[in-house]
Amino acid sequence: MARRIAVLGSTGSVGENALRIAAAHPDRFEVVALCANSSAERLREQVRSHRPAAACLVAGPLEALDVDASACATFSGADGVLEALERARPDVVLNAITGAAGLPASEWTLRHGRTLALANKESFVAAGEYLMQLAAETGATVLPVDSEHCAIFQCLQGEDRGRIRRIFLTASGGPFRQRPLDSFGAITPAEALEHPTWSMGPRITIGSATMMNKAFEVLEARWLFDLAPEQIEILIHPQSIVHSMVEFVDGSILAQLGVPDMRVPILYCLGWPERVPFPGFQGFDPLRFRELQFHTLDVDRYPAVPLAFDALRMGGDSGAVLNAADEVATGMFLEGGIDFPAITEIVAATLRAHRPAAVRSLDDVHRADRAARQTAERLAADRPRVRSART
Ligand code: MG
């Protein structure tokens, strides 16, 4: 029987790729729910070709969807995502919503004991400890779509997690790996939106340039794999071929390799525990990648990364603060309100100002998120404005 799949964030890059995979394997995957934020026209096309039982356009209006309500129940608003999930009852929820807005859907999936294909790392940055506890209570499975975590997950199949010595999270280094540090203040949004190896949405692409994305991945790995922060190493690997590695206590290191293509981890998560044929896969040619380089992380270049370890040390709701402050600061950079180094400076200052509290519910996370947004906005307002928007 086909696996019933909900694709949240269906008009984004991960969502579109997932739907391409589903269309290539109609016997295996049935798309039962689609959710998009605001791309009404594209969502309408997707509903027509995939015929889900439910669809949600978060930022409405629903009339823009113009679908036959007897064939597909339609919802809007943030709660509409959960209503669509209730209606469609998927086996697997691919959560590719951007930002903290994806947290309720991750929580719904785990609370209902379903499989979460996680492409919304912010859920785990903000509330990883809480979500993993919930998954343990309900027996839900979390499958990481994030390429590094998918690599680690694959390396851990059949392994005793108590035998991990450490993991190496790889990072491309983003577009500014070799840019002179004294010119970082002049980085434009357009420059920061050009990623050398991966093609992704704007938030995560800016996060790859500041490397806040890697900071988030440290928190994600800490909770997904129950690692101590000291067990997480970051390596700059410009080719993005080794997606990550696990070092075990016996001296063996396992790595997962492949070309940088998000369809590979998406397919792995949708098919897990089976390996499903990749449509049109041409084979990997190691000779095309004779030189795989690894460099240590330069924290002067990437000051965002140590913030992950600060947040872990602070504990409680500090991850939610890290994420919320970065959402605000990234948005302001894209609008031309602050310069590039200010993104990380504002996040760091917001985290420093935070007094951590325990997370016992999503409300606790939302409270920390709201407070951090206010702090970050205030800190940004105190800075001199830079002149240009998207140039
Ligand atoms: Mg990643």
Side-chain angles (χ1 to χ4, degrees), residues 46-330:
Q46 290 179 341
V47 167
R48 288 192 177 155
S49 46
H50 294 275
R51 304 179 170 280
C56 175
L57 181 65
V58 173
L62 272 184
E63 304 77 63
L65 275 186
D66 185 30
V67 295
D68 175 6
S70 65
C72 174
T74 53
F75 304 91
S76 66
D79 291 342
V81 178
L82 305 188
E83 289 166 333
L85 292 173
E86 291 285 351
R87 177 68 64 100
R89 311 301 291 178
D91 303 316
V92 179
V93 175
L94 173 65
N95 185 356
I97 293 171
T98 297
L103 181 53
S106 289
E107 209 241 9
W108 184 96
T109 306
L110 300 178
R111 183 169 297 291
H112 289 80
R114 307 302 159 103
T115 296
L116 174 63
L118 180 72
N120 171 255
K121 72 187 77 185
E122 295 90 341
S123 301
F124 271 65
V125 172
E129 185 172 20
Y130 170 78
L131 291 173
M132 286 308 278
Q133 270 166 12
L134 188 59
E137 282 164 23
T138 63
T141 304
V142 185
L143 303 171
V145 174
D146 207 348
S147 60
E148 296 81 357
H149 304 72
C150 187
I152 292 162
F153 186 84
Q154 293 190 43
C155 293
L156 291 177
Q157 294 300 295
E159 299 289 349
D160 175 351
R161 291 187 182 187
R163 293 290 175 259
I164 300 172
R165 187 164 178 274
R166 58 181 170 165
I167 63 160
F168 294 100
L169 272 183
T170 55
S172 71
F176 308 131
R177 191 170 60 82
Q178 290 169 318
R179 183 177 175 122
L181 271 181
D182 60 8
S183 73
F184 269 41
I187 289 170
T188 64
E191 287 173 319
L193 285 168
E194 280 294 321
H195 195 276
T197 53
W198 292 97
S199 140
M200 305 170 291
R203 166 103 196 274
I204 187 169
T205 306
I206 299 299
S208 300
T210 59
M211 283 267 258
M212 191 64 75
N213 180 56
K214 207 52 58 178
F216 285 7
E217 291 183 354
V218 169
L219 277 92
E220 189 184 7
R222 188 264 173 267
W223 299 120
L224 278 176
F225 306 117
D226 194 21
L227 298 166
E230 310 79 68
Q231 288 178 293
I232 305 171
E233 304 269 345
I234 294 151
L235 273 181
I236 303 290
H237 169 47
Q239 293 79 19
S240 298
I241 296 297
V242 175
H243 297 315
S244 275
M245 305 190 264
V246 181
E247 182 183 69
F248 293 92
V249 293
D250 65 351
S252 287
I253 294 107
L254 295 188
Q256 188 261 345
L257 285 71
V259 292
D261 184 331
M262 279 310 291
R263 287 174 298 176
V264 176
I266 294 167
L267 179 61
Y268 180 84
C269 291
L270 293 183
W272 184 86
E274 257 190 84
R275 288 202 182 267
V276 176
F278 185 111
F281 180 50
Q282 298 293 312
F284 177 72
D285 180 5
L287 299 181
R288 268 186 63 210
F289 306 99
R290 286 167 204 271
E291 275 196 39
L292 297 182
Q293 299 163 329
F294 300 94
H295 308 283
T296 51
L297 180 92
D298 173 0
V299 292
D300 291 333
R301 185 168 291 273
Y302 304 114
V305 177
L307 298 179
F309 295 93
D310 294 343
L312 285 175
R313 214 173 302 119
M314 291 166 69
D317 55 4
S318 304
V321 169
L322 190 71
N323 175 66
D326 184 61
E327 282 189 27
V328 169
T330 298

